[in-house]
């Protein structure tokens, strides 16, 4: 086990970043098409090709999930990913045309110090995201870096550098569950000014420092801190949970809803009006084990709880593994602030 | 401050229970109609008159929120409430007809040991809920009991008796926020076999025992436990958050979504396939302070975070204040299990 979402067989992940622009793209590419859905609980989402993920929509097989910086400009990334998928012969066919499905969510990293040249010369400079998407898809493999990479490159939280995180687990019934998160939260993954993570209870094997929880949380640590006070600034944590269980699209939607509880446990506040928090859920169906009768609730409850735990851990790891951007006034990273590097 | 949802001016709460049937009804009655919405994140909800709470629906003023036991049989309760509201002259008028709006969610307490006589003789015995609704509405006042009362009477969690909980707070901007919850969770409000509440970080003034958090959470404490393993059993935590801020229905929906994060932090697992977890959000608009420009995100973020905190506290209080049902094999209450009574 790598403690990465790629522990789910058939899931590959690639990163690409534009260091000068301080932004990037992360892609999960599926070796075989997966059943997928999405639950968007943030108030300001940006997404591409996600309407088809609703249970009542016909198409339900997805070839890649794209997480990207760049806010609405970043939605080009799925295009570059799609070109790679097409070259690989992935996707269904319609009238002889190959139609790979790359769904996408974005995060807002446009005010992080990086040079967003396309905003100054929009008619002559293209945003980098289409190319970053292509590069990330080509890089997809079982091993990938965490922290200040890919969609997490330009990400921040209110008090610490954010980044790309991942984690995996195996449920009691033997299903593999993994999570991948680009953590650009409006709030904080840590409690007050302490090095304790909100997700501390869920940590496995010291994967984000092994500090556990504080035994008492002082009232001042509950003082709400989030980006953009008083002026609103968009944030967003975007994520994918994946499993080798065989699920319907409706079951994937339930998995995505329950996985959002992992965001609630790892970040405070979250799901805010200016968050675009979006969680995709994908089921490869590769497991030998059966989930049981369709929608069998106990097995799905276990999967959902495992997805929530994994996503909470992935969020904490994304912050723990990040390194600060090299700009004056850049938000510090966890280890600058609390030691450990 | 009573540390109850009735700290929000204009919100009254009444309880009624049928001791023999081990079930009951809790009603929040609003002195003036409120703007309200709902976010249903559980997978098996039962509700009445909630479609009108969606932002795109025309009607948006609500006179009462009803929380009830009885699963789908319990949906009669809003009828009894409506009769009381009608007698009080509440509600809008349409063609000269008074139309009070009582919206409702239910929880599943039909297998808790109580005598559900109407299930045995459905053609001769009416379910008690219409009458319980009327009685609860008549009892509505600023003071009301917590624990094994009202909609919390028959409620349980997987390891401890559930019950009715409430809490309140005042935000930095001076808005009053309160929460009311009937805790019948599929999972647990406490961590493993310990007396620590998942909501421990949010506790105010020792309102549920003052134990804080464990500094380390042993892996076995994360072993998932929920009702109905292996056979599915329905559960459900239903709740209302209220504020004196003036909000649109869309803003109330955002408040309800963010308040669900309080359920995620206080219960594990939650939002499961067999949960009907439903959170209403109501805004009286009575506050002198303005929220700012419509949808002003920082103020709404603060409100949502406060609602999540309050609801997490209300859930823990509901379990902490409950007393076990008097049946053999009834799930124990918190203080039987951990002392304190």
């Amino acid at each position: 086990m790598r403690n990465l979402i790629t522990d789910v067989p058939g899931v590959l992940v690639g990163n690409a970043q534009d260091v000068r622009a301080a932004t990037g793209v992360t892609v999960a590419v599926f070796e075989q098409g997966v059943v997928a859905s999405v639950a968007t609980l943030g108030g300001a989402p940006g997404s591409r090709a996600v309407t088809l993920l609703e249970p009542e929509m016909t198409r339900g097989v997805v070839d890649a999930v794209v997480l990207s910086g760049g806010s609405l400009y970043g939605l080009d990334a799925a295009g570059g990913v799609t070109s790679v998928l097409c070259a690989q012969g992935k996707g269904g066919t319609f009238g002889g045309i190959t139609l790979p499905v790359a769904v996408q969510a974005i995060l807002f990293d446009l005010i992080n110090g990086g040079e967003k040249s396309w905003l100054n010369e929009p008619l002559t400079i293209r945003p980098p995201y289409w190319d970053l998407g292509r590069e990330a898809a080509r890089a997809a493999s079982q091993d990938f870096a965490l922290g200040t990479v890919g969609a997490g490159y330009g990400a921040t939280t209110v008090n610490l550098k954010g980044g790309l995180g991942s984690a995996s687990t195996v449920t009691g019934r033997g299903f593999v569950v993994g999570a991948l998160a680009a953590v650009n939260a409006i709030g904080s993954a840590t409690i007050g000014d302490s090095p304790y993570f909100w997700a501390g209870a869920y940590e496995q094997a010291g994967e984000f420092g092994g500090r556990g929880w504080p035994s008492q949380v002082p009232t001042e640590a509950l003082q709400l801190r989030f980006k953009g006070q008083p002026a609103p600034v968009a944030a967003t944590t975007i994520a994918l949970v994946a499993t080798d269980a065989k699920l319907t699209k409706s079951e994937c939607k339930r998995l995505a809803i329950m996985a959002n509880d992992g965001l609630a446990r790892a970040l405070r506040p979250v799901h805010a009006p200016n968050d675009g928090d979006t969680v995709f859920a994908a089921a490869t169906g590769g497991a030998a084990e059966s989930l049981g009768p369709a929608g069998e609730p106990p097995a799905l409850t276990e999967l959902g709880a495992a997805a929530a735990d994994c996503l909470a851990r992935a969020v904490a790891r994304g912050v723990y593994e990040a390194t600060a951007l090299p700009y004056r006034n850049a938000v510090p990273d966890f280890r600058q602030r609390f030691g450990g590097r």
Side-chain angles (χ1 to χ4, degrees), chain A:
Chain A
M1 297 280 283
R2 296 172 175 80
N3 198 20
L4 297 173
I5 194 171
T6 49
D7 288 325
V8 180
V11 180
L12 306 176
V13 172
N15 287 316
Q17 45 278 326
D18 181 326
V19 170
R20 186 168 197 148
T23 190
V25 172
T26 298
V27 184
V29 176
F30 305 108
E31 291 180 334
Q32 306 286 331
V34 298
V35 178
S37 190
V38 66
T40 305
L41 295 189
S47 62
R48 174 167 168 165
V50 301
T51 309
L52 63 85
L53 296 176
E54 294 306 318
E56 75 277 17
M57 300 302 176
T58 308
R59 191 78 177 253
V61 174
V62 167
D63 300 291
V65 171
V66 186
L67 309 179
S68 173
S71 188
L72 295 170
Y73 299 97
L75 291 174
D76 294 348
V81 173
T82 302
S83 73
V84 176
L85 298 171
C86 181
Q88 293 172 342
K90 288 202 166 121
T93 55
F94 189 80
I97 305 297
T98 297
L99 281 175
V101 177
V103 300
Q104 183 178 358
I106 50 81
L107 58 80
F108 183 95
D109 59 0
L110 297 179
I111 314 179
N112 65 356
E115 191 178 313
K116 322 294 183 189
S117 52
W118 72 91
L119 295 178
N120 300 322
E121 300 183 60
L123 292 181
T124 54
I125 303 178
R126 288 183 197 233
Y129 297 99
W130 201 98
D131 292 307
L132 288 170
R134 186 167 57 179
E135 184 184 341
R138 282 176 167 162
S141 75
Q142 291 188 308
D143 288 304
F144 63 99
L146 301 182
T148 300
V149 290
Y153 192 90
T156 56
T157 73
V158 67
N159 60 333
L160 295 171
K161 178 74 177 75
L164 188 73
S166 191
S168 72
T169 193
V170 179
T171 72
R173 289 171 203 242
F175 296 112
V176 184
V177 176
L180 177 72
V183 184
N184 189 49
I186 202 166
S188 175
T190 52
I191 303 175
D193 289 318
S194 81
Y196 295 105
F197 282 94
W198 285 109
Y202 306 98
E203 183 169 9
Q204 297 298 312
E207 64 197 344
F208 43 89
R211 286 177 175 81
W213 262 349
S215 58
Q216 293 291 334
V217 176
T219 301
E220 60 268 24
L222 293 180
Q223 191 71 35
L224 201 63
R225 292 193 293 188
F226 57 94
K227 293 177 185 173
Q229 292 166 297
V233 169
T236 285
T237 298
I238 48 180
L240 165 67
V241 294
T243 177
D244 61 354
K246 182 170 182 162
L247 302 180
T248 65
K249 197 156 55 160
S250 293
E251 290 167 341
C252 284
K253 178 107 191 174
R254 174 61 39 200
L255 197 65
I257 290 170
M258 289 186 76
N260 266 288
D261 289 342
L263 295 188
R265 291 166 187 151
L267 295 166
R268 179 174 181 274
V270 71
H271 301 141
N274 271 345
D275 268 330
D277 303 326
T278 299
V279 179
F280 296 96
T284 67
E289 303 83 358
S290 166
L291 189 62
E296 205 247 323
L300 188 53
T301 300
E302 283 180 13
L303 271 185
D309 289 357
C310 269
L311 185 46
R313 294 162 53 205
V315 166
R317 287 190 86 195
V319 172
Y320 184 73
E321 297 292 348
T323 50
L325 293 174
Y327 307 122
R328 181 198 300 259
N329 297 329
V331 67
D333 64 52
F334 182 88
R335 292 183 230 198
Q336 283 177 330
R337 180 75 179 74
F338 298 113
R341 184 173 293 121

